[in-house]
Amino acid sequence: MNFEFSPEDEAFRAQVREFIQQNLPKDIARQAYRRGNAVSREGIRHWQKTLYKKGWGAPHLPLAYGGSDWSAVRKHIFTEEIYKADAPDAGWQGLHMAAPVIIAFGSEEQKQRHLPPMLSGDVYWCQGFSEPNAGSDLASLRTAAVLDGDTYVVNGQKIWTSEAQYSQWGFFLVRTDASADKPQKGISFLLIDMSTPGITVRPIEQIDGGDELNEVFLDNVRVPKENLVGDLNMGWSYAKYLLEKERTTSSFIYYNKRQLDVVKDIARRELDNGKPVIEMPEFSRKLSRLEMDLHALEWSVLRVLADEKSSFNLDAVVSTLKIRGSDMQQRVTELQMEALGLRSLRYFNLTQENDSDTGDHDLWPDYVPGRAAQYLFNRASTIYGGAQEVQKNIIAKLAFGL
Ligand SMILES: Cc1cc2nc3c(=O)[nH]c(=O)nc-3n(C[C@H](O)[C@H](O)[C@H](O)COP(=O)(O)OP(=O)(O)OC[C@H]3O[C@@H](n4cnc5c(N)ncnc54)[C@H](O)[C@@H]3O)c2cc1C
């Protein structure tokens, strides 16, 4: 297999890079670099709109729905350049999760209504799957929707709902048949307007000081019948489809590569006994190890993107990418902390709402403020998107028949 990018693909990369250079406002990129996850909502919206106007709002989607007909390699190049430039990757739950399901199983009316504002960055979405007693064992979810005339009446509680407070819409898994012989068979996929009476969003205090996670309470929430996606009680297969569509994103390869660059930036500029940290043998050994592992992960991602035939079950391969990718998210941010030494201990108040840096933030080099928060947030990378142990169970079963 040849992994060289063709001259045409390299020309495409140059075109993407030039567009980003000319259109990504410097203050948004600086904010992303300085603050890690906590880019302001306004910044995210502005950038998504810029991409949308160019026709690049969601290249991973089919062309007929505002996406692109780019090859897998070009989509890879595009996302890599986005991350390299510290541009926000907007609308994860909407564009990457809800949109593919709506396109594959939604009604024409749902497509017309929801896809354009999602692509343009005008409407944000959250994902209401997990519940207090249904995370890894998602099929045991209890939030129930009961049909009453033309509306479903929804009652229950969701948890860990990322960015619910910034989302105008959410896609939810709800129980519509409690008597089904298997729990997976009684679940449906509902689109819910987050401003509907009966919805309460309560933030969860985070270790990183961020404001991303929430509990969502649904108390007699009335949802029009036409907001059901596809068929009743088929929600589980749609949710599985959603996860299958995102085969390689769980590797967080683009994020990890960018953060490795940041490690190098820091380690070149921070000094230990007058010498750049990057020259310390123990540090550079760890850096080299991480870089090699990251190369290996990237090649694995490219092999999946290239549809290379493998003797392993693809689901097992995807679980492997998730395990390696999330492990690397933790290692790369740990190494940033190590390069910063005691400076990593300084607390900075960084949330998506608080988008004006206050106090003495500007007195610190740009690479300092967001690092500790990212390191802390990434403790969760081995949990969200499928916990590590659960992924290992999948590999044991599917790849080794255990
Ligand atoms: C930062 C973050 C963002 C999130 N965003 C969203 C979101 O937007 N929407 C949403 O719906 N959900 C979201 N989640 C929830 C996420 O999907 C769940 O946290 C995840 O599925 C794990 O479920 P749980 O927290 O209930 O843990 P549990 O399932 O209770 O797991 C607890 C521990 O037990 C282990 N374990 C569980 N089952 C097994 C088993 N069979 N064998 C061995 N070990 C096992 C797990 O590996 C883990 O270590 C988010 C979570 C985080 C941390």
Side-chain angles (χ1 to χ4, degrees):
M1 166 160 294
N2 177 12
F3 277 136
E4 295 280 305
F5 292 112
S6 69
E8 293 78 16
D9 286 336
E10 288 299 357
F12 171 78
R13 183 190 293 280
Q15 189 197 349
V16 172
R17 195 173 287 177
E18 190 187 340
F19 178 81
I20 296 174
Q21 264 166 11
Q22 288 176 356
N23 292 281
L24 175 67
K26 298 279 173 289
D27 58 329
I28 296 179
R30 180 168 181 247
Q31 202 181 44
Y33 180 81
R34 278 169 62 78
R35 302 159 57 103
N37 296 330
V39 177
S40 76
R41 297 313 298 180
E42 224 13 77
I44 294 174
R45 192 169 292 116
H46 174 87
W47 177 237
Q48 179 59 26
K49 224 169 241 319
T50 307
L51 287 176
Y52 176 67
K53 284 184 192 150
K54 172 77 177 163
W56 292 355
H60 61 287
L61 296 180
L63 188 58
Y65 295 101
S68 75
D69 55 2
W70 297 347
S71 65
V73 168
R74 290 203 177 181
K75 290 174 193 163
H76 172 78
I77 290 173
F78 176 79
T79 316
E80 189 176 34
E81 291 300 320
I82 290 279
Y83 273 77
K84 226 185 243 174
D86 292 320
D89 190 348
W92 193 253
Q93 286 89 345
L95 291 171
H96 288 270
M97 294 180 153
V101 172
I102 292 175
I103 289 170
F105 307 105
S107 65
E108 211 36 55
E109 200 269 331
Q110 286 168 346
K111 292 175 200 172
Q112 301 286 340
R113 175 171 184 194
H114 294 301
L115 295 174
M118 206 185 270
L119 264 78
S120 67
D122 287 314
V123 171
Y124 279 86
W125 287 69
C126 59
Q127 177 201 15
F129 282 14
S130 306
E131 298 185 3
N133 291 309
S136 304
D137 180 20
L138 187 59
S140 62
L141 63 89
R142 293 211 298 236
T143 295
V146 177
L147 195 59
D148 175 27
D150 280 345
T151 55
Y152 287 102
V153 181
V154 185
N155 280 287
Q157 186 201 336
K158 298 291 175 179
I159 194 165
W160 311 121
T161 321
S162 301
E163 303 182 330
Q165 73 273 50
Y166 302 119
S167 301
Q168 292 91 337
W169 279 80
F171 55 100
F172 286 74
L173 287 184
V174 292
R175 185 155 303 285
T176 37
D177 183 1
S179 63
D181 56 353
K182 282 177 84 181
Q184 287 85 346
K185 288 190 187 164
I187 293 173
S188 297
F189 200 104
L190 264 192
L191 309 179
I192 303 185
D193 179 340
M194 293 299 286
S195 66
T196 315
I199 296 182
T200 309
V201 176
R202 196 162 76 189
I204 297 173
E205 202 171 326
Q206 291 172 216
I207 189 173
D208 62 332
D211 59 350
E212 181 172 330
L213 298 172
N214 301 278
E215 293 176 289
V216 174
F217 298 88
L218 301 111
D219 183 16
N220 286 323
V221 176
R222 297 194 82 89
V223 180
K225 210 167 121 185
E226 58 268 22
N227 288 10
L228 176 75
V229 173
D231 293 325
L232 191 67
N233 297 324
M234 286 299 289
W236 188 255
S237 14
Y238 305 155
K240 274 177 65 184
Y241 173 85
L242 173 161
L243 300 173
E244 280 160 15
K245 282 307 269 184
E246 289 300 313
R247 284 174 180 175
T248 54
T249 45
S250 59
S251 68
F252 277 79
I253 189 70
Y254 312 105
Y255 172 87
N256 283 326
K257 283 183 75 173
R258 177 62 188 134
Q259 293 309 315
L260 187 77
D261 288 344
V262 177
V263 174
K264 291 179 188 170
D265 273 0
I266 300 172
R268 284 191 191 108
R269 290 166 62 187
E270 289 291 306
L271 304 179
D272 184 344
N273 281 324
K275 273 177 89 177
V277 170
I278 203 161
E279 290 174 19
M280 312 304 290
E282 181 57 15
F283 185 89
S284 78
R285 189 190 61 76
K286 284 187 198 167
L287 182 60
S288 306
R289 177 81 235 178
L290 184 63
E291 192 157 21
M292 283 189 285
D293 287 348
L294 203 50
H295 267 306
L297 180 65
E298 186 176 14
W299 278 62
S300 303
V301 167
L302 287 168
R303 288 171 67 176
V304 174
L305 289 177
D307 253 341
E308 189 187 74
K309 295 283 169 279
S310 147
S311 53
F312 284 114
N313 177 297
L314 188 58
D315 287 340
V317 172
V318 172
S319 289
T320 311
L321 297 182
K322 163 72 170 87
I323 288 179
R324 295 299 279 170
S326 53
D327 175 52
M328 241 160 260
Q329 278 172 268
Q330 298 187 339
R331 283 170 61 197
V332 75
T333 46
E334 267 162 31
L335 212 50
Q336 291 177 358
M337 299 290 275
E338 197 171 320
L340 281 174
L342 288 176
R343 282 180 147 187
S344 64
L345 297 177
R346 172 66 157 75
Y347 172 74
F348 294 88
N349 179 18
L350 304 172
T351 63
Q352 290 188 359
E353 270 180 345
N354 164 25
D355 65 348
S356 61
D357 287 339
T358 52
D360 62 355
H361 289 192
D362 272 337
L363 302 179
W364 295 75
D366 272 0
Y367 53 76
V368 177
R371 303 286 83 81
Q374 287 220 86
Y375 161 79
L376 290 169
F377 187 83
N378 276 318
R379 301 297 88 202
S381 65
T382 44
I383 300 173
Y384 61 72
Q388 212 77 333
E389 293 77 7
V390 174
Q391 303 293 346
K392 286 182 184 168
N393 285 348
I394 294 172
I395 296 169
K397 198 167 144 192
L398 298 180
F400 302 113
L402 297 175

